[in-house]
Amino acid sequence: MLLPEPIQDLINAFSRLPGIGPKTASRLTFYLLRAQDELSLDLAEALKNIKSGTSYCQTCYNITTSGRVECEICASPERDKSLVCVVEEPLHVLALERTGSYPGVYHVLHGALSPIEGIGPEDLRIRELVERVRSGSVKELILATNPSMEGDYTAAYLHQQLLPYGVRLTRLARGLPVGGDMEYADQSTLLRALFGRQEMS
Amino acid sequence: MLLPEPIQDLINAFSRLPGIGPKTASRLTFYLLRAQDELSLDLAEALKNIKSGTSYCQTCYNITTSGRVECEICASPERDKSLVCVVEEPLHVLALERTGSYPGVYHVLHGALSPIEGIGPEDLRIRELVERVRSGSVKELILATNPSMEGDYTAAYLHQQLLPYGVRLTRLARGLPVGGDMEYADQSTLLRALFGRQEMS
């Protein structure tokens, strides 16, 4: 095509990101071309630092600043270490933290079991979770994997693996989303909401 | 917040791009964190090269590989130099090239006149366009600025500036988009389509 190579290179690099197609990639590229140099250089710098500047918390495997052994949440004396919420991704920790009312700590699996995609227990931080439970102080595990097929399967697998340790195992409630409309709720969500109905107090 | 600084930096850098909000920015960031190092490093490299590896064609002001005086289109002996299509952005050159049937050359203004945003004639490549017309060989100018308020205003301004040179001035046709549905056409498009109706042959 008639595009100069550096431009085509940047369009290609943007296109490899999820949710960014060729049209968005070229829009971003031409925007950066017209914008101040600083904008693209800042982004380039931040990209280079993302891997070197971060590492995993050795307790919960959430992402933390490199050099730290434990993340801020695990290191905080105010957090209840006996309550552990198991999530698939670091982003899910953020989502739960935003509620501002979870008193416990986390365990990040970094994915969910998926026989179709060939993701088995050894690809996730499951061995580390079992070790954490075995070592003693955990009383309750909230299996907060996604309400999807893979998430449910992962929770079922963890349930089976952790049952012998006598720890309380729970799962987040299913039901109608707050602010949603009954009319648009899918059948399985409605079914779950029906079965999980609660007494009005 | 509880995010390590390098992650927050990258989220911020992504958020400064057009059409990328905080949610998309953090999705991209966490995707890159899990992806191979190569992906973020390639993107960083491409970003650094985008400005240093490109320059403007000294004839049409389209973007070209740095070091070249003229872009490939202007340098091509097969292009009709007497037909010049005036566009707002390099992306619009690409759009017209994709039709594969434009025989002429281009002139890129790098924006449109906008009194509201304080963009005047001196901010665009208008002086260079007038010079190009004055120097002689141009016979027709297609004023292909956007069919928007700013684009129309820019075309009207150019029309007024270039009239003295006796060059043919045209504008792209307005009407119903191909593959569109009458039902969804807005009033002004429909009105334009009506006034611009053509004999069936």
Side-chain angles (χ1 to χ4, degrees), chain B residues 182-196:
Chain B
M182 285 271 294
E183 192 181 338
Y184 303 115
D186 63 291
Q187 220 178 345
S188 15
T189 299
L190 219 47
L191 210 66
R192 290 290 202 132
L194 202 61
F195 279 119

Side-chain angles (χ1 to χ4, degrees), chain B residues 2-72:
Chain B
L2 290 147
L3 280 175
E5 208 182 310
I7 295 187
Q8 193 60 58
D9 285 349
L10 186 55
I11 294 177
N12 293 346
F14 272 130
S15 302
R16 287 162 69 193
L17 300 180
I20 295 192
K23 278 226 164 172
T24 307
S26 77
R27 197 171 42 81
L28 291 174
T29 301
F30 281 94
Y31 174 82
L32 285 171
L33 259 175
R34 288 191 64 192
Q36 292 188 311
D37 286 16
E38 189 200 286
L39 200 61
S40 36
L41 295 181
D42 281 359
L43 182 55
E45 193 60 26
L47 282 161
K48 284 207 289 184
N49 293 340
I50 185 84
K51 290 289 175 97
S52 59
T54 57
S55 64
Y56 294 117
C57 167
Q58 289 309 297
T59 304
C60 74
Y61 298 94
N62 192 5
I63 279 153
T64 188
T65 318
S66 76
R68 290 185 77 115
V69 179
E70 276 197 324
C71 69
E72 281 185 63

